[in-house]
Amino acid sequence: MPLLHISMRAGKPDDYRQAILDSLYRAMREALNVPEGDAFMAITEHEAANFRCGNAYGVTRSEDAVLIQITVFASRTPEQKKALYRRIAELLGENPGIRPEDVFVNVLDAPKENWSVGHGIAQFA
């Protein structure tokens, strides 16, 4: 049950943004065994004055940087997360062509009782 928030600079065409969503969904299916149809993602675009990515940690980022925050059940192993990071960078590199240096990923673990996916009930608690 991943929930993704993707932040990026405004101005990319629809097919570029769709490729990001498709690549992220594929990476989650492959690395985290996310079920088919489990796609809860939103892209937020920011004007240049409202979006900043530094070059800390030995990574030189460009204006095409994307910030990806993924909230998941607190059940993923470190190995699964590492595989996810790698696969996201690979797939975004293939389509829409984002450099690995411009892929910033943060995974947040949330207990299952913190989720309600509809009907006002905690389906996984």
Side-chain angles (χ1 to χ4, degrees):
M1 174 52 64
L3 174 62
L4 282 77
H5 297 280
I6 303 105
S7 296
M8 58 187 284
R9 277 193 170 180
K12 297 294 186 187
D14 290 348
D15 60 338
Y16 185 96
R17 294 189 313 276
Q18 191 62 53
I20 290 173
L21 296 173
D22 291 345
S23 293
L24 291 172
Y25 177 68
R26 180 175 168 194
M28 289 188 308
R29 297 259 302 136
E30 293 176 7
L32 301 181
N33 298 316
V34 169
E36 184 173 341
D38 191 345
F40 300 92
M41 302 178 261
I43 292 179
T44 304
E45 296 182 278
H46 305 272
E47 295 303 321
N50 298 323
F51 188 81
R52 182 184 298 179
C53 289
N55 291 323
Y57 309 105
V59 181
T60 303
R61 295 171 187 85
S62 76
E63 293 180 357
D64 290 331
V66 291
L67 307 178
I68 303 162
Q69 188 168 65
I70 305 171
T71 306
V72 294
F73 290 152
S75 62
R76 309 300 185 186
T77 67
E79 292 76 23
Q80 285 178 305
K81 292 174 186 176
K82 289 176 185 177
L84 178 65
Y85 305 146
R86 185 174 44 256
R87 196 64 180 133
I88 287 172
E90 291 169 355
L91 292 172
L92 290 178
E94 291 173 14
N95 192 20
I98 300 171
R99 303 175 327 133
E101 298 91 340
D102 288 327
V103 178
F104 184 105
V105 181
N106 172 239
V107 173
L108 303 174
D109 294 316
K112 290 183 177 183
E113 66 269 14
N114 288 10
W115 298 80
S116 173
V117 298
H119 300 292
I121 61 173
Q123 286 86 350
F124 307 104

